Amino acid sequence: MPRHPPAVNRDRLPYDFAFRSTFAAVCLAVGISLLFAGMLPCARAQGLQRYLASLRIGDTLEDIRKIYPPLKSGSSYKEPGGEIVRIEADRKESKRFPVNVSRMRLRLRKGHLVHLQLIYDDDYSRRRSLEDLVMDYSLIYGEPRRRGEAYWWGDSSVVLRLGNIELPAAGGVVELRLCAELIDRDLFDGRY
């Protein structure tokens, strides 16, 4: 038995087509406006990564020494209050060190990393400007916030901050170096 195509009401065809195309255009316009307004999940900024230079917020001192084994013990200082220990490591004091970084400053709370500061070497700081570095991170995390000359991105657990830092140089001169910091959100907000 031959099959016949279903009957088509030719009078409703133009109206049906116009309605569907208009509906599709409206849905597309609403979707695009929601996307730019940041109301769709795909438009939201990703959470920040909790690591920088192979170190994670929350790493222990043992974890840090496994990644960057020291040649000699770096200088450390216990902050008043006793919860935070500051450690400073130099490229010359470590067997391995992040590329283009001359110095690392670490802050540990109760034995766990809560603040990592990378100070880039002089050559890298001359080649790359702060704006170039900010632009690179902006492609990943979106538009940064700004405080003075420092740019930062944050989520509920961690803050990434980029800026310049002044270091004393020979002859009483101060030189600017690029600096990247990864900070536990509670420390950044001054909760401890």
Side-chain angles (χ1 to χ4, degrees):
M1 202 176 226
R3 291 187 134 179
H4 298 288
V8 176
N9 186 350
R10 304 241 182 242
D11 296 333
R12 287 193 59 194
L13 188 61
Y15 170 75
D16 202 28
F17 177 74
F19 174 75
R20 285 185 183 173
S21 62
T22 303
F23 182 74
V26 168
C27 287
L28 182 64
V30 168
I32 289 173
S33 64
L34 289 175
L35 182 69
F36 286 115
M39 299 178 102
L40 290 178
C42 58
R44 290 189 189 131
Q46 298 177 5
L48 292 176
Q49 298 295 322
R50 295 182 58 83
Y51 61 89
L52 183 65
S54 301
L55 297 176
R56 288 180 77 84
I57 293 296
D59 279 350
T60 64
L61 187 56
E62 293 171 9
D63 297 332
I64 295 166
R65 287 186 173 156
K66 285 178 188 173
I67 296 168
Y68 299 114
L71 291 173
K72 63 177 187 172
S73 180
S75 61
S76 66
Y77 165 77
K78 198 168 197 173
E79 289 184 5
E83 282 193 359
I84 305 243
V85 175
R86 293 181 185 211
I87 299 172
E88 189 162 329
D90 198 276
R91 175 176 288 284
K92 300 170 194 154
E93 299 171 351
S94 186
K95 293 178 185 175
R96 289 189 301 268
F97 220 66
V99 178
N100 298 320
V101 173
S102 65
R103 190 176 300 166
M104 276 195 306
R105 294 178 178 162
L106 312 167
R107 291 171 78 187
L108 291 94
R109 179 177 183 257
K110 297 181 180 178
H112 295 276
L113 184 65
V114 292
H115 184 192
L116 168 63
Q117 183 181 49
L118 302 177
I119 300 171
Y120 291 95
D121 60 26
D122 189 38
D123 185 46
Y124 187 78
S125 296
R126 285 186 192 152
R127 282 189 322 219
R128 301 283 314 264
S129 68
L130 176 59
E131 289 74 23
D132 290 342
L133 203 56
V134 168
M135 192 179 309
D136 290 347
Y137 281 98
S138 294
L139 293 173
I140 301 168
Y141 298 123
E143 196 67 30
R145 294 180 184 158
R146 185 173 181 180
R147 280 189 192 163
E149 293 299 315
Y151 298 86
W152 62 279
W153 297 263
D155 63 14
S156 62
S157 63
V158 72
V159 172
L160 172 67
R161 182 168 54 187
L162 301 176
N164 286 314
I165 189 168
E166 294 180 355
L167 293 179
V173 180
V174 174
E175 61 182 33
L176 285 179
R177 298 273 185 93
L178 284 175
C179 173
E181 297 176 82
L182 193 62
I183 310 165
D184 182 270
R185 186 65 192 226
D186 290 336
L187 180 67
F188 184 77
D189 291 339
R191 293 189 189 125
Y192 54 79

